[in-house]
Amino acid sequence: MRSHEEIGNKIDELNDKIAGIRAEDEENLTNELKVILAGSELQSIMLTSTLTSNEKQVRGLLERFNQRAEELNEKYEEASAANDAMAKNQIHAMIWTNDIRLDTIKWVLEEEDVGI
């Protein structure tokens, strides 16, 4: 598991990125920047929550979000079979946020070579 210092440095890096994006005029933010902002905020929140957790707790989160990924993939397949575009879009957004959580936790645990 990564050290508190490494996690803290990553949080600082993300918070700098967030501040830089927020310094822009919100009306002129591209969709890409809005996505980067949302993803960075979620990563920062996830990393902050791991600072007070032990490895067992973080591994529990990893298991929980892996289960969530399986559930979401099943729901996406059902929505695809039903040709429900609105449900597919909503589920895709949930998959995206869950993937960010998973990648962040894997980074903390040094499970995979995941860049966040």
Side-chain angles (χ1 to χ4, degrees), residues 7 11 15 42-53:
I7 296 169
I11 292 169
N15 288 341
L42 180 55
Q43 285 177 330
S44 181
I45 291 165
M46 290 299 301
L47 289 171
T48 301
S49 72
T50 65
L51 286 174
T52 58
S53 302

Side-chain angles (χ1 to χ4, degrees), residues 1-3 6 55 58-59 103-114:
M1 191 161 142
R2 294 192 189 267
S3 69
E6 285 178 288
E55 186 171 345
V58 176
R59 289 198 182 282
D103 287 347
T104 304
I105 292 168
K106 287 176 184 176
W107 181 85
V108 169
L109 292 171
E110 299 180 280
E111 289 282 307
E112 296 176 12
D113 189 18
V114 177

Side-chain angles (χ1 to χ4, degrees), residues 45-98:
I45 291 165
M46 290 299 301
L47 289 171
T48 301
S49 72
T50 65
L51 286 174
T52 58
S53 302
N54 61 38
E55 186 171 345
K56 182 179 179 181
Q57 292 168 319
V58 176
R59 289 198 182 282
L61 284 174
L62 180 62
E63 183 178 323
R64 183 173 136 210
F65 290 122
N66 273 324
Q67 289 172 345
R68 179 76 173 142
E70 290 175 17
E71 292 168 6
L72 290 171
N73 285 332
E74 288 175 15
K75 288 182 180 183
Y76 189 84
E77 288 175 17
E78 291 170 5
S80 292
N83 204 22
D84 187 345
M86 187 195 279
K88 282 174 53 177
N89 287 338
Q90 291 172 343
I91 295 166
H92 187 264
M94 290 186 275
I95 289 170
W96 178 76
T97 57
N98 196 66

